[in-house]
């Protein structure tokens, strides 16, 4: 079958792909559900890869929770084949109801497939619209400015260790969803419409409708997010610098850092990073518990060893020691330096 030409990378996206992917070895993996956003991302990524002499691999997760899922995976495989893009369907062998469980399974499957392909980055199709929706959802939940800055262009995959750390790259955060649909129409490509995207039982659907009815609100949110993102970049880069300069990983997997921890809001983020690294867990910590422990660390002479998020936090000789509450497997311990390096990369926002 004759391979079709992929759409040209839209103006402004080349730099985004370069920043997220250029120095990463191995193929660039793209998570593709069959929806318009992810299909457009796949075709744009394939064109970028061709200009850079890189390989692309499409990954589709079949959760087995909807009867249409298998057909949607075949739909993606057929489109990938027409463009000469390798494709894999990843099946959740023991599907369980619940969005959180499905999300964890999806990330585990995607990360494992990326590692098998020799890659450490997975591109996802979060758009400018997703960012605006996320702002309202987080604002309603009481998020502070750091969370309201929105979805980040690069983050550590929430897939649980062991294994090589995998990063999630989001090159389309400045691209409107409508522009991606237009690109697919221009090239005669259809896409899958998930019926849940029209179900008002989901908060994101209700928020999406609110923004569609008030375009001016969308503009105001994106303007504010742009400013908050600049502040977050400064905070995250400072955290990356601290992780690089001050955090020591011991052969047994323990982490040590000098006291005091970074000042202000960065104290809690620094502590959360150490706990995540030592415990091997990726789930967010309860903010109230993290805040209390971070405050206690400001008075190290009275701090007794404390546990949080699967880690033991203690002070010894003016240094903070963080270790796993329960013993980690040797491969998990050996992966901690790589996870630290990946965390620094994610904080820096580029590879």
């Amino acid at each position: 079958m004759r391979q079709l030409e992929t759409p040209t990378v839209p103006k402004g996206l080349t730099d985004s792909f370069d920043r997220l992917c250029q120095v990463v070895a191995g193929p660039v993996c793209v998570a593709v559900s069959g929806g318009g956003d992810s299909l457009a991302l796949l075709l744009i990524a394939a064109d970028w890869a061709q200009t850079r002499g890189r390989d692309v691999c499409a990954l589709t997760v079949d959760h087995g929770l909807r009867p249409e899922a298998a057909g949607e995976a075949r739909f993606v495989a057929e489109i990938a084949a027409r463009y000469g893009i390798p494709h894999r369907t990843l099946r959740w062998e023991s599907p369980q109801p619940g969005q959180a469980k499905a999300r964890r399974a999806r990330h585990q499957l995607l990360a494992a497939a990326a590692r098998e392909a020799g890659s450490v980055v997975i591109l996802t199709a979060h758009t400018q619209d997703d960012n605006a929706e996320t702002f309202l959802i987080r604002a309603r939940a009481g998020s502070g400015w750091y969370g309201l800055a929105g979805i980040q262009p690069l983050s550590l995959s929430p897939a649980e260790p062991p294994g090589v750390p995998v990063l999630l790259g989001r090159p389309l955060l400045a691209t409107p969803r409508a522009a991606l649909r237009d690109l697919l129409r221009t090239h005669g490509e259809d896409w899958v419409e998930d019926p849940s995207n029209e179900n008002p039982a989901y908060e994101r659907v209700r928020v999406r409708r609110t923004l569609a009815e008030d375009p001016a609100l969308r503009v105001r949110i994106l303007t504010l997010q742009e400013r908050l993102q600049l502040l977050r970049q400064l905070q995250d880069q400072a955290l990356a610098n601290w992780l690089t300069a001050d955090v020591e990983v011991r052969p047994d997997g323990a982490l040590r850092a000098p006291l005091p921890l970074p000042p202000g809001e960065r104290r809690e983020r620094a502590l959360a990073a150490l706990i995540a690294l030592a415990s091997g867990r990726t789930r967010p910590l309860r903010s109230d518990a993290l805040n209390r422990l971070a405050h206690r660390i400001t008075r190290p002479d009275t701090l007794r060893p404390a546990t949080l998020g699967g880690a033991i936090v203690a002070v010894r000789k003016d240094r903070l020691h963080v270790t796993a509450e329960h013993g980690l497997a040797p491969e998990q311990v050996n992966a901690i330096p790589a996870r630290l390096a990946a965390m620094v990369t994610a904080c820096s926002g580029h590879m």
Side-chain angles (χ1 to χ4, degrees), residues 224-243:
L224 176 58
Q225 271 189 323
E226 185 176 359
R227 296 169 182 171
L228 293 176
Q229 180 67 349
L230 291 174
L231 292 175
R232 176 157 177 168
Q233 287 172 0
L234 293 174
Q235 288 276 326
D236 285 350
Q237 186 59 59
L239 179 59
N241 294 342
W242 177 80
L243 288 169

Side-chain angles (χ1 to χ4, degrees), residues 21 33 36 38 49 52 67 73 86 92-93 117 154 237 253 263 285 300 316 322:
C21 308
S33 66
S38 61
R52 294 293 190 264
W92 190 12
E93 297 300 337
L154 194 64
Q237 186 59 59
L285 301 171
R316 300 172 192 161
V322 185

Side-chain angles (χ1 to χ4, degrees), residues 26 121 197 224 266 302 336 351:
V121 63
N197 287 335
L224 176 58
R266 275 185 286 139
T302 63
I336 290 176
M351 304 298 283

Side-chain angles (χ1 to χ4, degrees), residues 95-128:
Q96 304 172 45
Q99 287 187 326
K101 292 179 181 177
R103 180 178 181 273
R104 285 197 296 272
R106 179 169 67 254
H107 282 297
Q108 291 294 134
L109 288 166
L110 289 170
R115 294 182 189 115
E116 289 175 19
S119 179
V120 295
V121 63
I122 302 168
L123 299 185
T124 65
H126 292 86
T127 67
Q128 189 180 72

Side-chain angles (χ1 to χ4, degrees), residues 41 58 218 307:
L41 172 62
R218 179 180 181 277
T307 59

Side-chain angles (χ1 to χ4, degrees), residues 167-197:
L167 292 155
L168 302 179
R170 306 176 180 92
L172 302 181
L173 287 175
T175 305
R177 186 175 292 126
L180 300 176
R181 302 296 199 275
D182 289 343
L183 182 145
L184 291 175
R185 292 189 188 98
T186 298
H187 291 270
E189 295 294 350
D190 200 1
W191 60 88
V192 173
E193 290 288 3
D194 185 342
S196 67
N197 287 335

Side-chain angles (χ1 to χ4, degrees), residues 43-91:
L43 301 188
I44 295 168
D47 184 77
W48 171 85
Q50 188 174 34
T51 64
R52 294 293 190 264
R54 299 291 301 278
D55 293 323
V56 167
C57 174
L59 303 174
T60 303
V61 175
D62 177 1
H63 293 97
L65 297 175
R66 295 186 296 114
E68 304 89 352
E72 291 167 359
R74 288 193 297 270
F75 170 74
V76 176
E78 290 168 2
I79 291 181
R82 292 209 309 271
Y83 287 92
I85 302 169
H87 174 268
R88 281 189 64 188
T89 295
L90 314 172
R91 291 181 176 83

